[in-house]
Amino acid sequence: MDGEDVVVVNAEGIMITGEESSIFEDYKRRVDRGDATKRKGPFYPRRADLLFKRSVRGMIPWTTTSGRNAYRRLHVFIGTPKQFEKVEKEEIKPAMRKVSNKHTTLGSVSKHLGSNTR
């Protein structure tokens, strides 16, 4: 929201805590709610990078101009693109803690939803 561009790489490795079956059910229900064949929304993505971007959209004030501009400055990638391979990456220390409870990755959720990326 401060006007900085944010780039997230390796979106498929983002961890979601909780029971795997309930996470899969929740995301599947969201995807099934908006049927793309009937031109009715809400349209919910299946790819890992777009799932993350949609989740962030729910955390910012999307209806305001500053919120939309912040959303447009967020760039999310599956894997690491060539232009970011040699760039120094910043790791968020609280997010890097070891998870000992039940969890799954955004990549496995994406694969369960039928995404055909990697």
Side-chain angles (χ1 to χ4, degrees):
M1 296 294 294
D2 293 334
E4 297 179 13
D5 283 356
V6 177
V7 177
V8 178
V9 296
N10 298 325
E12 71 278 1
I14 294 173
M15 292 174 49
I16 304 170
T17 57
E19 186 70 40
E20 187 176 87
S21 60
S22 64
I23 293 170
F24 286 165
E25 274 181 33
D26 183 38
Y27 278 95
K28 184 68 172 160
R29 188 174 42 240
R30 291 178 191 181
V31 169
D32 291 343
R33 185 172 183 198
D35 190 4
T37 61
K38 296 180 181 168
R39 294 178 31 187
K40 301 261 185 187
F43 302 117
Y44 208 79
R46 296 171 190 258
R47 285 186 1 211
D49 56 340
L50 298 178
L51 280 170
F52 178 73
K53 215 169 167 180
R54 177 68 184 244
S55 298
V56 170
R57 186 183 127 178
M59 299 177 200
I60 60 174
W62 170 251
T63 56
T64 63
T65 305
S66 61
R68 287 203 186 226
N69 289 337
Y71 183 74
R72 289 182 182 121
R73 287 190 302 271
L74 174 66
H75 307 284
V76 184
F77 297 100
I78 296 174
T80 305
K82 290 181 181 179
Q83 70 257 28
F84 296 115
E85 285 179 351
K86 296 185 178 164
V87 175
E88 182 182 339
K89 294 167 184 69
E90 180 181 338
E91 294 181 346
I92 312 301
K93 291 295 180 191
M96 300 305 290
R97 68 175 189 255
K98 186 163 180 96
V99 177
S100 60
N101 55 354
K102 297 176 183 177
H103 66 278
T104 186
T105 62
L106 202 54
S108 62
V109 171
S110 177
K111 186 175 279 191
H112 176 75
L113 295 176
S115 176
N116 57 2
T117 56
R118 294 186 207 190

